[in-house]
Amino acid sequence: MAVSMMIDVQSQPGSGMDIDKVGICDLSYPIEVLDKAQEKQHTIAQINMYVDLPRRFKGTHMSRFIEVLNLYRAEIMVNNMGEILREIASSLEARSAHMELSFKYFLEKVAPISKARSLMGYDCRFIGAYAQQGDEDFILEVRVPVMNLCPCSKELSETAAHNQRSEVTVKLRYKDFVWIEEVIELIEKSASCDLYAILKRPDEKFVAERAYDNPRFVEDIVRLIADNLMKDKRVLWFSVKSINYESIHNHNAFAFIERDKRS
Amino acid sequence: MAVSMMIDVQSQPGSGMDIDKVGICDLSYPIEVLDKAQEKQHTIAQINMYVDLPRRFKGTHMSRFIEVLNLYRAEIMVNNMGEILREIASSLEARSAHMELSFKYFLEKVAPISKARSLMGYDCRFIGAYAQQGDEDFILEVRVPVMNLCPCSKELSETAAHNQRSEVTVKLRYKDFVWIEEVIELIEKSASCDLYAILKRPDEKFVAERAYDNPRFVEDIVRLIADNLMKDKRVLWFSVKSINYESIHNHNAFAFIERDKRS
Amino acid sequence: MAVSMMIDVQSQPGSGMDIDKVGICDLSYPIEVLDKAQEKQHTIAQINMYVDLPRRFKGTHMSRFIEVLNLYRAEIMVNNMGEILREIASSLEARSAHMELSFKYFLEKVAPISKARSLMGYDCRFIGAYAQQGDEDFILEVRVPVMNLCPCSKELSETAAHNQRSEVTVKLRYKDFVWIEEVIELIEKSASCDLYAILKRPDEKFVAERAYDNPRFVEDIVRLIADNLMKDKRVLWFSVKSINYESIHNHNAFAFIERDKRS
Amino acid sequence: MAVSMMIDVQSQPGSGMDIDKVGICDLSYPIEVLDKAQEKQHTIAQINMYVDLPRRFKGTHMSRFIEVLNLYRAEIMVNNMGEILREIASSLEARSAHMELSFKYFLEKVAPISKARSLMGYDCRFIGAYAQQGDEDFILEVRVPVMNLCPCSKELSETAAHNQRSEVTVKLRYKDFVWIEEVIELIEKSASCDLYAILKRPDEKFVAERAYDNPRFVEDIVRLIADNLMKDKRVLWFSVKSINYESIHNHNAFAFIERDKRS
């Protein structure tokens, strides 16, 4: 087989327009991320990797994305995202590169009364972009399941108040480093109560009462978190979204705040 | 193009084994189902259709499934599932046929106090099978989202009790006709409370208090429903499954009972 | 029960920030949409409805979203989205309103040779926004599954070329009306071949050969569609995304172009 | 707080029926599984754990499932599933226990011509059951994405043949140990071609031609695999399912064979 004679269809002159993003998506790959205790955490990422494609090129070289990924997969961290993105752009001869890594991140939690230990998994995402003219962009996304209890329902009745699982998603751009662990803590403290994989009966009592003492509308949760992110000087831009899986409806309640502190 | 000369690869002698089920799956198609008020309800089904394939045939004729579906799609009902299945078997020259239709089924609900009207959607499924030696099988599946409130949590605290959305799935084989509406009613009455798309504030109070007065473990829900299905003489076989989307955990609670009254 | 004495927790002075969007999401509701033949099509929508919430209000009134939906659900069309959004804003005393309706939309297709008829379902979305200062925004989204065949693979070998199902998503803002049917036609013509629920053998031959004669990189598909949308004077803004479910990989190929012709 | 005085609602006499399965589901937890090279592989499992509940007990003790999981999660393997299940039954004072662990399992693959290395992820599941009267049951499930090319399409045309990604799922009960790696190899060899995360151009040519030389109906794939499992004396029972994501349709082709060699 004469590989060298193969026509390089991808490099032939293309007709048409510049493409904003071209690449691969929905790739499952095992990676290792750095956690706060300075140790690596093994996890599995869903990965998207894109570059731009100027009009003169017909196609990009999809296999090179995986080659770059193979170089870095044992050491993916916030600190080297810029390096990885420049390597993608360089390897694919592109002017810009994007990468999205979605992964579960586990922390050990200690039940409030029994002190029983268990792991909680959080859906995190690194969204990075690089452009040749010098711009780098990095967004940290953290999704945290929490409990919330309806203040209106608490007011309406002496005995009961509907509560449910909610999912709060925070996205951040920052100038000084913010740990995933800090974002998780902010979200969990802003909710009616945080969640645990293991709760013994005294913990269950504590958790239900903590939620009752901290009722939160979906509006309250996003406002409390946004208030804190406004005050945090490291944060340049953020969005906060909460989806409450209402126990009294078959649809969900939703609230969203986005602020750009740079403008 | 000489269509008549095309080799019929599917009809050539196959090697190997009888195939239990071969056909199409995950087809979205608009259908009409009969509802209790004797009127048709327009909905969209996810459809699977299979036949058996004896070892002497290499392949089945996939396009014929859609042809049969086109014949019946404006009038899908429990009553003609047997007829549809026989038509599939006949059209595909098979000894057995299976069909699964999953669809949303909407009912109007009236809020308990305000009497505000809204629609609730329920995920239903018809699972039918036919075999040439005479056996027909039909399973009705109904999935109902409800609210449940934890009895243990209620006991532990004077003020609070965690509650959440649950999803209860009942499957039935019967000898005398059972309406989808009857299964929905049984499930909703067995839960701490049923759900509504619209609740005004007095309804919210009612719903939260009704749930508080009817606490249910995931075990209670499946037992209550199973008890009723045991007593219902029309029912030959059933399974009941409940998944509670726990507000205090990020995992779910699960319970399951299956009984065959024929044995 | 003294409803009138209930404390209106939602209307009490809130602390904190303006909320960009608050409302309900993931509601399944049956609706009717207008199709090109001027007849209504019954379908089921996944619905999100939001308003803004100024800082002085603690919470919004979630039940009113459903009340507005009940008014219009039998007649949802592009033409009255503005009216629906103003009704939402008015009913919830808000300065802005957003609505997203995602629904299956079915068209009859005729197989290329056998002329067999079947229905194809397309995932569509209406995304509308209204702000009191006068701005209205409307985006039409249409997602079309197609077949694509790799030009590189065709060049590399005389006998074989890998092909696969792709999903192309077009979003449009326009000044003069564009039919869903027109967007579907543009996408289907830009792919290697379009899809059908029913294909007889001569159709299969036609479809495989049509794809072979029209090989498309993921880059080609988005460029062809974008070229056409650039030339269409009705279109103000668009994005085109293609995801190819590669038959040779377990990840997908991706390309994306977005252009704002207003700037 | 007087924990000791808390009423043990779960241990009070229950009314009603024996429950077949009660427990937790959809728990994400990091685990380590043994791979063929005798080294541990870090992965993340979706876990379901159930026990039976006799009629005299009102509820089970959900937290104990996590306690058992914490004991074993760094060493989950086929060999100790029986031990884990007996520990669950013992800890929850139950007569039977069930456990389902679904996880991604990665293997290094070498591209056929370029020898480029990349990782492929496979969805695996361990399904274990234990009953006090002595029965143990274990099912190994392996899901493998492959490429298949339609033999009919190849016959119909000289130039083209539609092909697509397929997903083949094998479940096994065995008396003598079968490696996950062996099941993956059997499935990949039975398909038109196997998949890789990285393919350079000469690999792409090889893969497309290998698929063209090995056309497979959905029926062929399940038959080839079933034939081999019939002959494998270690295997007591199996099922084989293939879903082909047809490039010419928006629905999928399906085939299924199940055989119990014990009867």
Side-chain angles (χ1 to χ4, degrees):
Chain A
M1 191 180 58
V3 175
S4 59
M5 289 188 53
M6 285 175 184
I7 297 159
D8 187 357
V9 182
Q10 278 100 335
S11 297
Q12 288 185 326
S15 63
M17 307 169 68
D18 293 346
I19 294 180
D20 299 330
K21 292 178 187 171
V22 56
I24 60 169
C25 64
D26 305 314
L27 172 73
S28 284
Y29 228 70
I31 63 167
E32 294 170 48
V33 292
L34 200 72
D35 73 19
K36 198 178 176 180
Q38 296 292 332
E39 288 183 71
K40 285 182 190 174
Q41 181 167 145
H42 297 267
T43 187
I44 294 166
Q46 287 287 317
I47 300 174
N48 304 335
M49 299 169 88
Y50 314 127
V51 291
D52 73 302
L53 188 75
R55 71 192 68 190
R56 69 182 182 279
F57 297 113
K58 187 158 171 61
T60 195
H61 295 83
M62 300 285 187
S63 62
R64 295 185 189 167
F65 290 104
I66 313 285
E67 290 172 334
V68 177
L69 184 60
N70 279 341
L71 284 180
Y72 287 93
R73 74 172 190 83
E75 207 152 296
I76 303 268
M77 48 193 125
V78 173
N79 288 339
N80 65 3
M81 281 293 287
E83 183 184 332
I84 299 172
L85 287 161
R86 282 189 300 274
E87 182 67 34
I88 294 170
S90 158
S91 169
L92 284 121
E93 300 168 62
R95 298 170 302 188
S96 65
H98 297 80
M99 187 175 192
E100 297 168 15
L101 289 142
S102 303
F103 56 91
K104 280 269 181 204
Y105 188 76
F106 287 89
L107 291 182
E108 192 177 67
K109 294 199 68 173
V110 178
I113 306 298
S114 72
K115 307 302 176 194
R117 288 165 186 278
S118 61
L119 296 164
M120 267 288 291
Y122 302 92
D123 291 311
C124 297
R125 188 160 14 179
F126 293 163
I127 304 168
Y130 158 81
Q132 216 172 40
Q133 51 273 52
D135 290 342
E136 280 187 30
D137 188 30
F138 178 74
I139 296 173
L140 171 65
E141 179 181 315
V142 182
R143 189 174 300 186
V144 178
V146 294
M147 182 184 186
N148 88 333
L149 183 140
C150 178
C152 174
S153 185
K154 182 179 171 179
E155 283 296 328
L156 289 171
S157 163
E158 273 167 44
T159 53
H162 76 86
N163 53 73
Q164 51 266 318
R165 207 189 292 164
S166 301
E167 196 173 60
V168 181
T169 306
V170 166
K171 289 186 186 184
L172 289 182
R173 286 185 173 96
Y174 53 72
K175 57 181 176 188
D176 295 308
F177 191 71
V178 178
W179 285 100
I180 291 174
E181 286 82 352
E182 292 177 278
V183 183
I184 292 171
E185 192 188 358
L186 170 60
I187 296 172
E188 293 192 337
K189 287 202 168 158
S190 304
S192 293
C193 194
D194 53 338
L195 307 189
Y196 300 82
I198 198 168
L199 289 172
K200 309 299 290 182
R201 248 173 320 119
D203 302 310
E204 272 208 39
K205 174 178 164 63
F206 178 91
V207 159
E209 293 179 349
R210 188 184 182 291
Y212 194 79
D213 294 339
N214 294 281
R216 295 280 186 273
F217 284 123
V218 69
E219 294 93 337
D220 296 329
I221 297 176
V222 295
R223 275 174 168 156
L224 275 167
I225 296 167
D227 268 343
N228 277 279
L229 295 174
M230 282 304 287
K231 287 171 199 153
D232 190 324
K233 286 181 178 148
R234 299 171 298 175
V235 175
L236 299 172
W237 168 94
F238 67 86
S239 70
V240 187
K241 179 176 76 173
S242 183
I243 295 177
N244 292 9
Y245 301 99
E246 301 286 289
S247 64
I248 60 171
H249 297 299
N250 198 30
H251 57 261
N252 305 317
F254 176 96
F256 177 80
I257 294 177
E258 179 184 354
R259 289 291 182 278
D260 194 339
K261 293 154 75 173
R262 296 168 298 188
S263 58
Chain B
M1 192 182 55
V3 175
S4 58
M5 288 189 54
M6 285 176 184
I7 297 159
D8 186 358
V9 181
Q10 279 99 334
S11 297
Q12 289 185 322
S15 62
M17 306 169 68
D18 293 347
I19 294 181
D20 299 331
K21 292 179 187 171
V22 57
I24 61 170
C25 64
D26 305 314
L27 172 73
S28 285
Y29 228 69
I31 62 165
E32 294 170 49
V33 291
L34 200 72
D35 73 18
K36 198 179 177 180
Q38 296 291 334
E39 288 182 70
K40 285 181 189 175
Q41 182 166 144
H42 296 266
T43 188
I44 294 167
Q46 287 287 317
I47 300 175
N48 304 336
M49 299 169 88
Y50 313 127
V51 291
D52 73 303
L53 188 75
R55 72 192 66 190
R56 70 181 181 280
F57 297 113
K58 187 158 172 60
T60 194
H61 294 83
M62 299 284 187
S63 63
R64 296 185 188 167
F65 290 105
I66 313 285
E67 290 172 334
V68 177
L69 185 60
N70 279 341
L71 286 180
Y72 287 94
R73 75 173 190 80
E75 207 152 298
I76 303 269
M77 48 192 125
V78 174
N79 288 339
N80 65 2
M81 282 292 287
E83 183 184 332
I84 299 173
L85 288 162
R86 282 189 300 273
E87 182 67 35
I88 294 170
S90 158
S91 169
L92 283 122
E93 300 169 60
R95 297 170 303 188
S96 65
H98 297 79
M99 187 175 193
E100 297 169 16
L101 288 142
S102 303
F103 55 92
K104 280 269 182 206
Y105 188 76
F106 287 89
L107 291 183
E108 192 178 65
K109 294 198 69 173
V110 179
I113 306 298
S114 72
K115 307 302 176 195
R117 288 165 186 278
S118 62
L119 295 165
M120 268 287 291
Y122 303 92
D123 291 311
C124 297
R125 187 161 14 180
F126 293 163
I127 304 168
Y130 158 81
Q132 214 172 43
Q133 50 275 51
D135 288 342
E136 281 187 29
D137 188 30
F138 178 75
I139 295 173
L140 172 65
E141 179 182 314
V142 182
R143 189 174 300 185
V144 178
V146 295
M147 182 186 189
N148 87 331
L149 184 140
C150 178
C152 174
S153 186
K154 182 180 171 180
E155 284 296 329
L156 289 171
S157 164
E158 273 166 44
T159 53
H162 76 86
N163 52 72
Q164 51 265 320
R165 206 188 293 163
S166 300
E167 196 173 61
V168 180
T169 305
V170 165
K171 289 186 186 184
L172 289 182
R173 286 185 173 96
Y174 52 73
K175 56 181 177 188
D176 295 308
F177 191 71
V178 178
W179 285 100
I180 291 173
E181 286 82 351
E182 292 177 279
V183 182
I184 292 171
E185 192 188 357
L186 170 60
I187 295 172
E188 293 192 337
K189 288 204 168 157
S190 304
S192 293
C193 195
D194 52 340
L195 307 188
Y196 300 82
I198 198 168
L199 290 172
K200 309 300 290 182
R201 249 177 317 123
D203 302 312
E204 274 210 37
K205 175 178 162 63
F206 178 91
V207 158
E209 293 180 348
R210 186 183 183 291
Y212 194 78
D213 294 339
N214 293 280
R216 296 280 186 273
F217 284 123
V218 68
E219 294 93 336
D220 296 328
I221 297 175
V222 295
R223 274 174 168 157
L224 274 167
I225 295 167
D227 269 342
N228 277 278
L229 294 173
M230 283 303 288
K231 288 172 199 151
D232 190 324
K233 286 181 178 146
R234 298 171 299 175
V235 175
L236 298 172
W237 168 94
F238 67 86
S239 71
V240 187
K241 179 175 76 173
S242 183
I243 295 177
N244 292 9
Y245 301 99
E246 300 286 291
S247 64
I248 59 172
H249 297 299
N250 197 28
H251 57 261
N252 305 317
F254 174 96
F256 177 80
I257 294 177
E258 178 185 354
R259 290 293 182 277
D260 193 339
K261 293 154 75 173
R262 295 169 297 188
S263 58
Chain C
M1 192 181 57
V3 174
S4 59
M5 288 189 54
M6 284 178 186
I7 298 160
D8 187 357
V9 181
Q10 279 97 335
S11 296
Q12 287 186 325
S15 62
M17 307 168 67
D18 294 346
I19 294 179
D20 299 329
K21 292 179 188 170
V22 57
I24 61 170
C25 64
D26 305 314
L27 172 73
S28 285
Y29 228 70
I31 63 166
E32 294 170 48
V33 291
L34 200 72
D35 72 20
K36 198 177 177 181
Q38 296 292 333
E39 287 182 70
K40 285 182 189 175
Q41 181 166 146
H42 294 85
T43 187
I44 294 167
Q46 286 287 316
I47 300 174
N48 304 337
M49 301 170 86
Y50 314 128
V51 291
D52 74 302
L53 188 74
R55 70 192 68 190
R56 69 181 182 280
F57 296 113
K58 187 159 172 58
T60 195
H61 295 83
M62 300 284 188
S63 62
R64 294 185 190 168
F65 290 105
I66 313 284
E67 290 171 334
V68 177
L69 184 60
N70 279 340
L71 284 181
Y72 287 94
R73 75 173 190 81
E75 207 151 300
I76 304 266
M77 48 192 126
V78 173
N79 289 338
N80 66 1
M81 282 292 287
E83 183 184 330
I84 299 173
L85 287 161
R86 284 189 298 274
E87 182 68 33
I88 294 170
S90 158
S91 169
L92 283 121
E93 300 169 61
R95 296 170 303 188
S96 66
H98 296 78
M99 189 175 192
E100 297 168 16
L101 287 142
S102 305
F103 55 92
K104 280 269 183 206
Y105 187 76
F106 287 89
L107 291 183
E108 193 178 62
K109 294 199 70 173
V110 178
I113 307 298
S114 72
K115 307 303 176 194
R117 288 166 185 279
S118 61
L119 296 165
M120 268 288 290
Y122 302 92
D123 290 312
C124 297
R125 188 160 14 180
F126 293 163
I127 304 169
Y130 158 83
Q132 216 172 40
Q133 49 275 52
D135 290 341
E136 281 186 29
D137 188 29
F138 178 75
I139 295 173
L140 172 64
E141 179 182 316
V142 182
R143 188 174 302 183
V144 178
V146 295
M147 181 184 188
N148 86 332
L149 183 139
C150 178
C152 175
S153 186
K154 182 180 171 178
E155 284 296 329
L156 289 171
S157 164
E158 273 166 46
T159 52
H162 76 85
N163 52 72
Q164 51 265 321
R165 207 189 292 164
S166 300
E167 195 173 62
V168 180
T169 305
V170 165
K171 289 186 186 184
L172 290 182
R173 286 185 173 96
Y174 53 73
K175 57 181 175 187
D176 295 308
F177 191 72
V178 178
W179 286 101
I180 291 174
E181 286 82 352
E182 291 177 278
V183 183
I184 292 171
E185 192 188 357
L186 171 60
I187 296 172
E188 294 191 338
K189 288 203 168 158
S190 304
S192 293
C193 195
D194 53 339
L195 308 188
Y196 300 82
I198 199 168
L199 289 173
K200 308 302 289 182
R201 246 170 325 117
D203 302 312
E204 274 208 40
K205 175 177 162 64
F206 178 91
V207 159
E209 293 179 349
R210 187 184 182 290
Y212 193 78
D213 294 338
N214 294 279
R216 296 279 185 272
F217 283 124
V218 69
E219 294 93 337
D220 297 328
I221 297 176
V222 295
R223 274 174 169 155
L224 275 168
I225 295 167
D227 269 343
N228 277 279
L229 294 174
M230 282 304 287
K231 288 172 201 153
D232 190 325
K233 285 181 178 147
R234 298 171 299 175
V235 174
L236 298 173
W237 168 95
F238 67 86
S239 72
V240 187
K241 179 175 75 173
S242 183
I243 295 177
N244 292 9
Y245 300 99
E246 300 286 291
S247 64
I248 60 172
H249 296 300
N250 197 29
H251 58 261
N252 305 317
F254 175 96
F256 177 79
I257 294 177
E258 177 184 354
R259 289 294 181 276
D260 193 339
K261 293 154 75 174
R262 296 167 299 188
S263 59
Chain D
M1 192 181 56
V3 175
S4 59
M5 288 188 53
M6 284 176 186
I7 298 160
D8 187 356
V9 180
Q10 279 98 334
S11 297
Q12 287 186 326
S15 63
M17 306 169 68
D18 294 347
I19 294 179
D20 299 329
K21 293 179 186 169
V22 57
I24 61 170
C25 63
D26 305 314
L27 173 73
S28 284
Y29 229 70
I31 63 167
E32 294 169 49
V33 291
L34 200 72
D35 72 19
K36 198 178 177 182
Q38 296 292 334
E39 287 183 72
K40 284 181 190 175
Q41 181 165 146
H42 294 85
T43 188
I44 294 167
Q46 286 287 317
I47 300 174
N48 304 336
M49 300 169 87
Y50 314 127
V51 291
D52 73 301
L53 189 74
R55 72 192 68 190
R56 69 182 182 279
F57 297 114
K58 185 158 174 59
T60 194
H61 295 83
M62 300 283 188
S63 62
R64 295 184 189 169
F65 290 104
I66 314 285
E67 290 172 334
V68 176
L69 184 60
N70 280 339
L71 285 180
Y72 287 94
R73 75 172 188 81
E75 206 153 300
I76 303 268
M77 48 192 125
V78 173
N79 288 339
N80 66 2
M81 281 292 287
E83 183 184 331
I84 298 172
L85 287 161
R86 283 189 299 274
E87 183 67 33
I88 295 170
S90 157
S91 170
L92 283 122
E93 300 168 60
R95 296 170 303 186
S96 65
H98 298 80
M99 187 174 193
E100 297 168 16
L101 288 142
S102 304
F103 55 90
K104 280 268 182 206
Y105 187 77
F106 287 89
L107 291 182
E108 193 178 64
K109 294 198 70 174
V110 179
I113 307 298
S114 72
K115 307 301 175 196
R117 288 166 186 277
S118 61
L119 296 164
M120 269 286 293
Y122 302 93
D123 291 310
C124 298
R125 188 162 11 182
F126 294 163
I127 304 168
Y130 158 83
Q132 216 172 42
Q133 49 274 50
D135 290 341
E136 280 186 31
D137 188 30
F138 178 75
I139 295 173
L140 172 65
E141 178 182 315
V142 182
R143 189 174 301 185
V144 178
V146 294
M147 182 184 187
N148 87 333
L149 183 139
C150 178
C152 174
S153 186
K154 182 180 170 179
E155 285 294 330
L156 288 172
S157 163
E158 273 167 44
T159 53
H162 76 85
N163 54 72
Q164 51 265 319
R165 206 187 292 162
S166 301
E167 196 173 62
V168 180
T169 305
V170 165
K171 289 186 185 184
L172 290 181
R173 286 185 173 96
Y174 53 72
K175 57 183 176 187
D176 294 309
F177 191 71
V178 178
W179 285 101
I180 291 174
E181 286 82 352
E182 292 177 278
V183 183
I184 292 171
E185 192 189 357
L186 169 61
I187 295 172
E188 294 191 338
K189 289 203 168 156
S190 304
S192 293
C193 194
D194 53 338
L195 307 188
Y196 300 83
I198 199 168
L199 289 173
K200 308 301 290 182
R201 250 177 317 122
D203 301 313
E204 273 208 39
K205 175 178 161 64
F206 178 92
V207 159
E209 293 180 349
R210 188 184 183 290
Y212 193 78
D213 294 338
N214 294 280
R216 295 280 186 274
F217 283 123
V218 69
E219 294 94 336
D220 296 329
I221 298 175
V222 296
R223 274 174 168 157
L224 275 167
I225 296 167
D227 269 343
N228 277 278
L229 295 173
M230 282 303 288
K231 289 171 198 151
D232 190 324
K233 285 181 178 148
R234 298 171 300 175
V235 175
L236 298 172
W237 167 95
F238 67 85
S239 70
V240 186
K241 180 175 74 173
S242 183
I243 295 177
N244 291 10
Y245 299 100
E246 300 286 290
S247 64
I248 59 171
H249 296 300
N250 198 29
H251 57 262
N252 305 317
F254 176 96
F256 178 80
I257 295 177
E258 179 184 355
R259 290 292 182 277
D260 194 339
K261 293 153 76 175
R262 296 168 297 189
S263 59

